[in-house]
Amino acid sequence: MTASILVVEDEPAIQALIATNLRRHGHAVSAALSAEDALRQIKAALPDLILLDWMLPGLSGLECARRLRADPRTKNVPIIMLTARGAEEDRVTGLEGGADDYVTKPFSPRELLARIQAVLRRGRPQASADVVEAGGLKLDPVAHRVFAAGLPVNLGPTEFRLLHFLMTHSSRVHSRDQLLDQVWGDHVYVEERTVDVHIRRLRAALEPSGLDTLVQTVRGSGYRFSVDSQ
Ligand code: CA
């Protein structure tokens, strides 16, 4: 599983080492030298995961994690804290502050990669290989196939990802902005109405089976997948 990872580390040598290692394993890496810079970058584009150094000049890694957790847009982005501190107390503080995991320096590149994979798997239920079924719809992520009332449905890759995300996060309303972050991975270069276009295509593909009603519009808020009628 490869991801876009933001590395927040104020020591350029360590930052470069981590970035090189992650890129070698197929991850797309961006880097920040401070929490303030990281928050600016996150505002422009949401990464799949953040490696966050605890000891940073200015805003600390811990405070940065707290801010990310307090914002609905960033509260689910996985965070791994990097730190020279090894004390149990700091570990607990870090996890309570919103980190998903914790790696103590010095760490081996292999250990870091293993932790990243583990956190990515936990944090992305829609990326799992499990077959999802609801309301007569069945989506198989491995075979990349969708069945509506037992009959195959032809979906484009974006509609497929959109449906997978909606089905694995059902009954909740998702704004266009959230869907862009979660399904497109980055909301910067995509207009919000793009979401409407793909929702329309998804519904059109489901219409023959009558299951297009599972993809519901919530006026003024966004979209939701629900087996209950509106
Ligand atoms: Ca540091």
Side-chain angles (χ1 to χ4, degrees):
M1 193 185 284
T2 57
S4 61
I5 300 176
L6 175 62
V7 181
V8 192
E9 165 65 69
D10 61 311
E11 286 158 75
I14 298 177
Q15 186 193 83
L17 199 74
I18 295 173
T20 306
N21 184 43
L22 294 181
R23 285 193 184 109
R24 195 177 296 145
H25 287 84
H27 296 295
V29 181
S30 50
L33 289 166
S34 68
E36 289 84 349
D37 183 20
L39 291 171
R40 264 193 302 276
Q41 291 194 35
I42 292 162
K43 210 169 191 176
L46 199 63
D48 295 322
L49 184 139
I50 301 165
L51 289 181
L52 185 57
D53 188 27
W54 181 307
M55 301 293 282
L56 291 167
L59 200 65
S60 75
L62 189 63
E63 185 48 38
C64 182
R66 286 199 178 117
R67 289 194 189 184
L68 292 170
R69 286 298 172 252
D71 181 342
R73 185 176 159 252
T74 54
K75 72 176 188 321
N76 294 320
V77 179
I79 299 172
I80 298 178
M81 295 278 288
L82 306 174
T83 183
R85 302 181 188 210
E88 189 61 24
E89 202 179 305
D90 290 339
R91 188 188 166 86
V92 172
T93 312
L95 294 174
E96 279 176 353
D100 295 274
D101 204 353
Y102 194 100
V103 181
T104 307
K105 293 177 190 172
F107 46 82
S108 74
R110 249 179 90 181
E111 184 194 357
L112 184 62
L113 281 163
R115 298 288 190 93
I116 287 171
Q117 291 302 333
V119 167
L120 284 175
R121 272 196 298 272
R122 281 209 302 270
R124 274 202 224 166
Q126 79 273 28
S128 91
D130 298 343
V131 171
V132 205
E133 281 190 271
L137 262 188
K138 181 175 164 184
L139 183 146
D140 182 340
V142 176
H144 226 267
R145 300 194 73 180
V146 175
F147 295 88
L151 295 169
V153 179
N154 246 328
L155 290 183
T158 305
E159 286 75 52
F160 186 89
R161 285 205 309 276
L162 187 57
L163 181 62
H164 194 194
F165 176 78
L166 289 172
M167 286 182 80
T168 49
H169 299 79
S170 62
S171 305
R172 273 176 277 169
V173 181
H174 306 281
S175 68
R176 288 168 181 80
D177 195 42
Q178 283 165 344
L179 288 172
L180 284 174
D181 277 341
Q182 297 292 334
V183 178
W184 278 256
D186 186 334
H187 72 258
V188 199
Y189 305 108
V190 189
E191 288 179 67
E192 289 203 348
R193 62 170 174 237
T194 303
V195 176
D196 304 334
V197 171
H198 289 277
I199 289 276
R200 263 203 302 280
R201 285 188 199 158
L202 176 58
R203 282 190 183 135
L206 297 175
E207 214 177 343
S209 64
L211 296 181
D212 52 309
T213 52
L214 296 173
V215 181
Q216 303 171 354
T217 303
V218 181
R219 273 186 74 182
S221 307
Y223 297 102
R224 105 183 127 205
F225 182 94
S226 176
V227 294
D228 304 318
S229 51
Q230 299 190 56

